[in-house]
């Protein structure tokens, strides 16, 4: 029969069942008539010929069923029959169905939600054409770490390298949009003209940057993100006013453009650096992020080898300064790996944790199905006696488990949507591609695949157990042997649950202990009652250093007059805010081009007092340390110890900054302050006044110490600053306590998720222990009754049931400890001050798990102790 005829025949059988049955009956009758005629032709009487034909056929009904059993439509029909039966069975047990569906939905939804975050960040290609060919290039530091390149290095590589189709550099840019009700500071980038060509993106409206745009004192042009252009009503060919200057809008990017190098950027302007520059000019600062697009026939290894050769062979056309000599070489890596390096281990650890939760949920549901299978032994035996084979019975039970999983999967997608929102809300500030986290087609396909796998896995063990049942024993309702087999299987699954739960609890415990240790680290200042905000001066009237100094001085005077302010000061570096500014240091009399590096704090008098940073030796900076006075500086304790050992630092002179002729005399030593992270070591730092630095910064952070609630002073302080100049933006308002908390947002993100998953795992493990013991008590009611009749006390029966539950828990704990010791390697990088084998954590987790297990054992044990032996024996 042709494929088309088979398909047509099957569809007719499914849609017109009675007509298909008549066709089969006609075929059987026709065959019977033909066989009868053949027997008559051989000489048999008609009656005997009909009898012989029927014997040959083997029964009309059986033949009809066999004919109906052939063809693909029979598979569909029996599958639908199994599905209808499964629906009836699940509707008949609403409590079982609800618990099972909710348990699976929690596991499937949680796993899908985490996958929706991990997939776009770690596995999905970046949203650029041939994104795998985009790489980052960084300078290698002496310790092997990567640092941003200088413009001098970029210019040399752009000219000498042949591995790249295009190269570009970028740096953050924060212009102020004026002409609106309030000044608005925007996040953007200054980029070389080839930046968008490296990414493979072209403006949707207007044009890209031209090489002529990226030259010193070139045209003031800007490209806008689509959302910003719509928000401010910008039009290609029309100017917008930024920092008091008119910038011509030459392009608008497509609506879906994603700038992974700086996700918050909304506008871009040409870099416009000088092509000829001296050794102390800004072009030799390590502040540019370099990206490049590989040529089609070149891979990362080829590019790395070429750049290594360039680094080893300087040429006269491209002189290098000592701090950018490329003596340590250059580092090349894919852009995707570069932007995900800081979060990869955290995301993979969280993904592993939620997979453990899904495994525990699956084990729990398998246990529920096994318990339900024990109750249905009589049904399975009856169906087997009526002719259902093992394969048919197994398929029916798998259909039930798949139906449960599909219902749970549908509910799990709603859980996943809520989970995605929670992940976005909890995500640390540095999480890349956060805008790509959503429940899309790929996530839906993952959820569907996961649902199918879960349905098959949770159903296979109960189905095999039921198919292997003892027919005679089950029919007699005395299947103790079968029940014993079920108990052993369910006990083994509980052991697995406890072990998996302990792994998650240990991970959450280690992260919690680590975070406690971090927040116990001295930050070097008093964070209570401190309000911070960033103030920026823009516009032509603030081009000079003196104008900037006057603005910040007047603004500080106004802030100090606000009621409730006890101390205030400005700084260029705000601790634990992400600010970083490092310069090389050289000591007087040294023959080295550089003796080290230090953080540069340009602070106004009063800043140290507002932060309560202790003065250890000498004096602090005061109002006399201004331009024209002898240059003075403070150093922190770590700088003094590393640079001068036990010798006196006060009175020593250091060169610090870009100008060769500026030497600062150290007049005081202050305490160490955590700048980059609570987990980082104490870094060297130098404090100077803004007016004695080579330039006055446009952006400074205000620190205000208040008498009471610091955040409540925000409106009054804003008004005080704007009373000096209404056009200057004020952003990044936060208390110092909030900044400290945000600095550990990555660890807190992992901790919150681990704690949530561990709590779910603990509840599921307790439910699993309770379910197994409850089922065991029900199955062993006769045995317990006999024990009671023979004199066993209630205490002995309690001990019997509790011993069974705690024995399973103990075995699970033993396996879980080994698993936790191995799995904790995945979060070792997130720990601080705590070993991944921390005995306090392990003992605490084991104690918690045993206590919860004992509670879960309590109710079944109490029921067992109250079994009436007379009623039990009478029922037998």
């Amino acid at each position: 029969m042709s494929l088309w005829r088979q398909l047509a025949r099957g569809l007719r059988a499914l849609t017109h069942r009675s007509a298909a049955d008549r066709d089969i009956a006609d075929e059987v009758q026709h065959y019977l008539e033909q066989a009868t005629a053949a027997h008559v032709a051989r000489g048999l009487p008609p009656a005997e010929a009909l009898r012989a034909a029927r014997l040959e056929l083997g029964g009309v009904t059986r033949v009809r069923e066999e004919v109906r059993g052939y063809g693909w439509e029979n598979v569909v029909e029996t599958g639908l029959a199994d599905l209808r039966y499964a629906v009836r069975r699940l509707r008949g047990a609403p409590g079982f169905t609800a618990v099972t569906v909710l348990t699976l939905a929690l596991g499937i939804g949680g796993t899908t939600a985490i996958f929706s975050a991990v997939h776009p960040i770690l596995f999905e290609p970046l949203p650029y054409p041939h994104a795998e060919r985009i790489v980052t290039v960084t300078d290698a530091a002496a310790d092997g770490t990567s640092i941003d390149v200088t413009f001098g290095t970029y210019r040399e590589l752009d000219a000498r390298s042949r591995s790249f189709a295009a190269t570009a550099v970028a740096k953050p840019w924060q212009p102020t949009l004026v002409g609106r009700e309030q000044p608005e500071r925007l996040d953007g980038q200054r980029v070389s003209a080839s930046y968008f060509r490296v990414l493979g993106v072209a403006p949707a409206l207007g044009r890209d940057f031209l090489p002529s745009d990226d030259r010193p004192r070139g045209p003031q042009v800007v490209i806008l993100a689509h959302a910003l252009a719509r928000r401010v009503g910008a039009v290609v060919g029309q100017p917008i006013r930024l920092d008091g200057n008119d910038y011509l809008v030459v392009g608008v990017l497509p609506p879906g453009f994603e700038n992974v190098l700086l996700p918050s950027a909304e506008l871009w302007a040409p870099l416009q650096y000088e092509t000829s520059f001296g050794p102390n000019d800004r072009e030799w600062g390590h502040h540019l992020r370099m990206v490049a697009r590989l040529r089609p026939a070149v891979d990362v290894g080829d590019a790395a080898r070429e750049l290594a050769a360039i680094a080893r062979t300087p040429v006269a056309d491209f002189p290098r300064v000592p701090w950018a000599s490329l003596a340590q070489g250059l580092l090349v890596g894919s852009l995707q790996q570069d932007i995900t390096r800081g979060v990869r281990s955290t995301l993979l650890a969280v993904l592993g944790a939620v997979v453990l939760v899904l495994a525990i949920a699956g084990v729990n549901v398998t246990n529920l199905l096994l318990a339900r299978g024990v109750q249905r032994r009589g049904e399975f035996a009856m169906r087997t006696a009526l002719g259902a084979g093992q394969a048919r019975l197994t398929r029916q039970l798998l259909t039930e488990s798949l139906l449960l999983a599909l219902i749970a999967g549908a509910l799990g997608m709603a859980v996943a949507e809520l989970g995605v929102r929670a992940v976005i809300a909890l995500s640390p500030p540095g999480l890349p591609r956060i805008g790509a986290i959503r429940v899309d087609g790929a996530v839906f396909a993952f959820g569907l695949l996961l649902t199918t796998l879960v349905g098959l896995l949770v159903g296979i063990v109960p189905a095999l157990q039921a198919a292997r049942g003892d027919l005679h024993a089950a029919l007699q309702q005395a299947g103790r042997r079968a029940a014993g087999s079920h108990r052993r299987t369910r006990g083994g699954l509980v052991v697995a649950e406890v072990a998996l739960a302990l792994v998650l609890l240990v991970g959450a415990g280690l992260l919690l202990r680590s975070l406690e240790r971090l927040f116990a680290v001295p930050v070097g200042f008093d964070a209570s009652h401190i309000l911070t905000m960033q103030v920026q001066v823009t516009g032509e009237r603030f081009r000079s250093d003196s104008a900037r100094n006057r603005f910040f001085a007047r603004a500080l005077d106004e802030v100090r007059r606000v009621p409730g302010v006890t101390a205030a000061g400005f700084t260029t570096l705000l601790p634990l805010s992400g600010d970083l500014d490092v310069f090389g240091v050289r000591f007087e009399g040294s023959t080295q081009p550089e003796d080290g590096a230090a953080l540069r704090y340009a602070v106004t008098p009063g800043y140290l007092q507002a932060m309560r940073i202790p003065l250890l030796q000498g004096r602090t900076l005061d109002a006399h340390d201004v331009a024209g006075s002898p240059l003075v500086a403070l150093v922190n304790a770590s700088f003094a110890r590393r640079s001068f050992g036990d010798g006196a630092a006060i009175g020593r002179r250091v060169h610090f900054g870009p100008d060769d002729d500026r030497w600062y005399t150290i007049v005081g030593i202050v305490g160490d302050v955590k700048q980059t992270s609570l987990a980082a070591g104490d870094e060297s730092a130098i404090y100077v006044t803004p007016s004695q630095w080579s330039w006055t910064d446009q952006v400074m952070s205000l620190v205000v110490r208040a008498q009471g609630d610091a955040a409540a002073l925000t409106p009054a302080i804003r008004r005080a600053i704007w009373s000096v100049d209404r056009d200057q933006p004020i952003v990044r308002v936060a208390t110092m306590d909030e900044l400290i908390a945000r600095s550990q947002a990555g660890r807190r993100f992992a901790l919150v998720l681990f704690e949530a998953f561990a709590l779910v795992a603990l509840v599921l493990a307790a439910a699993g222990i309770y379910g197994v013991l409850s089922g065991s008590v029900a199955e062993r009611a006769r045995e317990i009754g006999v024990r009671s009749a023979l004199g066993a006390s209630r205490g002995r029966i309690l001990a019997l049931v509790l011993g069974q539950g705690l024995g399973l828990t103990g075995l699970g704990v033993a396996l879980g400890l080994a698993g936790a010791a191995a799995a904790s390697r995945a979060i070792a990088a997130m720990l601080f001050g705590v070993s991944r084998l921390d005995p306090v954590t392990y003992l605490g987790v084991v104690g918690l798990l045993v206590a919860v297990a004992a509670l879960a054992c309590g109710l079944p044990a109490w029921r067992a102790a109250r079994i009436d032996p007379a009623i039990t024996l009478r029922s037998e």
Side-chain angles (χ1 to χ4, degrees):
M1 186 183 295
S2 67
L3 179 62
W4 174 252
R5 291 187 62 190
Q6 289 180 13
L7 181 62
R9 177 179 176 276
L11 288 174
R12 188 167 184 270
L14 290 173
T15 56
H16 300 84
R17 185 66 187 171
S18 58
D21 287 343
R22 287 194 299 270
D23 289 344
I24 293 174
D26 291 343
E27 291 179 13
V28 173
Q29 185 61 35
H30 177 71
Y31 177 83
L32 190 61
E33 291 172 356
Q34 292 291 326
T36 301
H39 286 300
V40 169
R42 284 197 289 272
L44 289 177
E48 292 185 12
L50 178 59
R51 180 174 179 276
R54 285 178 173 172
L55 290 173
E56 184 181 303
L57 191 63
V60 174
T61 301
R62 184 183 64 80
V63 171
R64 286 178 181 175
E65 291 300 322
E66 287 183 357
V67 172
R68 188 180 288 119
Y70 290 113
W72 63 270
E73 70 276 7
N74 180 64
V75 177
V76 175
E77 188 174 16
T78 53
L80 291 174
D82 288 342
L83 184 60
R84 288 192 295 270
Y85 183 75
V87 170
R88 289 198 301 272
R89 293 296 308 183
L90 296 180
R91 285 170 57 187
F96 164 81
T97 303
V99 171
T100 304
V101 166
L102 289 174
T103 301
L104 284 181
L106 196 61
I108 292 172
T111 305
T112 304
I114 298 302
F115 174 81
S116 69
V118 173
H119 178 255
I121 296 174
L122 299 186
F123 305 127
E124 190 177 76
L126 295 178
Y128 307 123
H130 302 289
E132 72 282 356
R133 285 163 39 193
I134 305 177
V135 298
T136 59
V137 180
T138 57
D139 205 343
D143 58 359
T145 58
S146 61
I147 54 176
D148 289 339
V149 302
T150 67
F151 183 74
T153 299
Y154 160 69
R155 194 168 65 102
E156 179 179 355
L157 296 181
D158 184 59
R160 297 182 63 188
S161 174
R162 297 294 176 265
S163 297
F164 305 123
T167 61
V169 287
K171 71 171 185 177
W173 177 44
Q174 293 181 319
T176 300
L177 180 66
V178 295
R180 297 164 64 85
E181 184 178 347
Q182 285 189 359
E184 180 182 1
R185 195 178 75 174
L186 304 174
D187 282 335
Q189 287 177 298
R190 287 277 187 178
V191 299
S192 54
S194 54
Y195 180 74
F196 294 110
R197 190 156 64 90
V198 169
L199 299 182
V201 177
L205 300 173
R207 64 170 177 85
D208 198 352
F209 292 130
L210 303 175
S212 58
D213 296 329
D214 189 20
R215 55 182 175 80
R217 293 164 294 282
Q220 300 277 48
V221 295
V222 68
I223 292 177
L224 305 181
H226 181 267
L228 177 63
R230 290 191 60 182
R231 192 172 84 242
V232 303
V235 178
V236 173
Q238 298 295 321
I240 62 171
R241 196 154 185 83
L242 301 170
D243 292 340
N245 298 312
D246 286 334
Y247 281 73
L248 182 67
V249 178
V250 297
V252 176
L253 294 172
F257 172 68
E258 230 183 292
N259 187 54
V260 300
L261 285 163
L262 186 62
S264 61
E266 296 182 285
L267 72 170
W268 294 262
L271 195 63
Q272 296 185 343
Y273 273 12
E274 297 285 349
T275 53
S276 59
F277 39 83
N280 293 314
D281 291 338
R282 64 175 178 174
E283 283 76 7
W284 284 115
H286 288 278
H287 61 280
L288 297 176
R289 197 165 182 185
M290 180 174 174
V291 290
R293 179 173 286 272
L294 295 170
R295 295 186 185 278
V298 179
D299 60 23
V300 174
D302 296 332
R305 285 187 289 273
E306 186 199 31
L307 294 190
I310 292 175
R312 289 193 304 267
T313 56
V315 295
D317 291 341
F318 299 99
R320 302 171 184 172
V321 293
W323 57 89
S325 64
L326 307 184
Q328 307 299 325
L330 293 156
L331 303 176
V332 185
S334 75
L335 177 59
Q336 183 158 28
Q337 290 181 353
D338 183 74
I339 65 171
T340 60
R341 185 177 294 111
V343 298
R344 178 178 294 273
S345 60
T346 300
L347 289 177
L348 290 178
V350 170
L351 180 61
V354 78
V355 168
L356 288 180
V357 172
L358 178 61
I360 294 172
V363 169
N364 222 328
V365 170
T366 302
N367 254 332
L368 290 172
L369 292 174
L370 280 171
R372 184 172 164 81
V374 171
Q375 298 170 4
R376 296 172 64 185
R377 287 199 308 272
E379 173 201 338
F380 298 152
M382 184 62 71
R383 295 185 65 186
T384 304
L386 293 175
Q390 288 190 356
R392 184 77 174 80
L393 195 59
T394 301
R395 187 173 67 185
Q396 172 64 56
L397 292 175
L398 286 177
T399 301
E400 289 185 24
S401 64
L402 280 172
L403 178 59
L404 282 169
L406 286 174
I407 298 172
L411 182 60
M413 294 310 292
V415 174
E417 184 66 41
L418 294 175
V420 165
R421 295 179 186 177
V423 167
I424 293 174
L426 292 171
S427 61
L431 191 67
R433 303 207 63 197
I434 192 170
I437 299 177
R438 59 184 176 274
V439 178
D440 55 11
V443 173
F444 182 81
F446 172 81
L448 182 61
L449 176 62
L450 185 64
T451 297
T452 305
L453 289 175
V454 167
L456 290 173
L457 291 174
V458 302
I460 191 67
V461 173
L464 292 177
Q465 285 275 13
R468 290 201 301 265
D470 185 340
L471 171 62
H472 177 73
L475 286 172
Q476 295 297 322
Q477 291 298 310
R480 297 185 189 90
R481 185 174 304 168
S485 174
H486 277 72
R487 283 200 298 269
R488 286 191 296 273
T489 304
R490 295 178 64 197
L493 292 174
V494 166
V495 169
E497 271 190 286
V498 172
L500 294 174
L502 189 136
V503 171
L504 273 177
L505 286 167
V506 166
L510 289 173
L511 288 172
L512 180 61
R513 293 256 297 157
S514 179
L515 207 59
E516 288 177 346
R517 293 286 182 89
L518 268 173
F519 284 123
V521 170
V523 293
F525 53 86
D526 181 3
S528 61
H529 306 294
I530 289 184
L531 178 68
T532 71
M533 58 186 67
Q534 199 173 74
V535 183
Q536 178 175 350
V537 291
T538 61
E540 286 296 326
R541 61 185 181 279
F542 293 112
R543 289 293 181 185
S544 67
D545 289 343
S546 58
R548 295 174 196 166
N549 278 323
R550 281 195 301 273
F551 168 80
F552 285 119
R554 290 181 58 195
L556 190 57
D557 287 340
E558 294 298 326
V559 168
R560 286 170 174 163
R561 293 192 182 99
V562 173
V565 173
T566 60
F570 278 106
T571 178
T572 53
L573 290 188
L574 185 63
L576 301 173
S577 66
D579 297 340
L580 198 64
D581 195 12
V582 180
F583 284 88
V585 177
R586 190 169 76 252
F587 304 135
E588 189 174 30
S590 173
T591 58
Q592 300 295 325
E594 189 172 296
D595 293 309
L599 294 166
R600 189 268 302 196
Y601 291 84
V603 300
T604 61
Y607 167 76
L608 297 173
Q609 290 79 2
M611 293 287 284
R612 294 183 179 170
I613 299 173
L615 177 67
L616 304 179
Q617 292 182 37
R619 70 171 180 88
T620 187
L621 301 175
D622 57 34
H624 299 94
D625 300 319
V626 295
S629 300
L631 302 181
V632 296
L634 306 178
V635 298
N636 67 342
S638 290
F639 181 92
R641 183 177 60 256
R642 294 188 188 111
S643 303
F644 305 108
D646 295 332
I650 295 179
R652 303 291 293 270
R653 299 214 314 161
V654 296
H655 170 260
F656 183 58
D659 297 325
D660 283 336
D661 58 348
R662 298 178 69 88
W663 289 86
Y664 292 84
T665 301
I666 298 174
V667 296
I669 301 175
V670 297
D672 292 330
V673 169
K674 294 292 184 183
Q675 177 63 36
T676 57
S677 168
L678 293 176
D682 293 322
E683 300 157 293
S684 297
I686 296 181
Y687 296 80
V688 298
T689 59
S691 59
Q692 289 196 339
W693 185 245
S694 300
W695 64 84
T696 300
D697 295 81
Q698 288 183 294
V699 180
M700 298 191 78
S701 292
L702 175 67
V703 174
V704 174
R705 177 166 294 279
Q707 288 178 343
D709 181 12
L713 294 179
T714 302
I717 293 174
R718 283 182 186 270
R719 289 193 297 270
I721 296 172
W722 281 337
S723 69
V724 179
D725 193 316
R726 183 72 183 176
D727 291 335
Q728 307 315 310
I730 300 171
V731 296
R732 212 171 69 177
V733 180
T735 66
M736 186 56 71
D737 288 328
E738 290 172 343
L739 288 179
I740 293 174
R742 288 177 196 171
S743 71
Q744 300 307 314
R747 284 183 170 87
R748 189 183 294 275
F749 171 72
L751 173 63
V752 170
L753 293 179
F754 261 84
E755 284 183 333
F757 298 151
L759 179 62
V760 172
L762 185 62
V763 171
L764 291 177
I769 294 170
Y770 170 79
V772 166
L773 290 184
S774 294
S776 176
V777 168
E779 292 166 7
R780 299 173 65 186
R782 180 178 180 277
E783 173 197 339
I784 294 171
V786 170
R787 286 176 181 267
S788 296
L790 293 177
S793 65
R794 287 190 174 184
R796 291 288 297 274
I797 293 174
L798 278 170
L800 175 69
V801 179
L802 285 173
Q804 180 186 355
L806 293 179
L808 294 175
T809 302
L811 186 55
V813 165
L815 294 175
L817 287 173
S824 58
R825 291 191 179 95
I827 61 171
M830 291 183 278
L831 301 181
F832 174 82
V834 176
S835 165
R836 67 180 185 84
L837 302 177
D838 178 47
V840 174
T841 301
Y842 281 74
L843 288 174
V845 166
V846 169
L848 173 64
L849 195 54
V850 171
V852 171
L855 289 175
C857 297
L859 185 57
W862 180 77
R863 287 177 179 171
R866 291 177 61 84
I867 289 177
D868 188 338
I871 296 175
T872 304
L873 295 176
R874 192 181 305 126
S875 68
E876 289 290 320

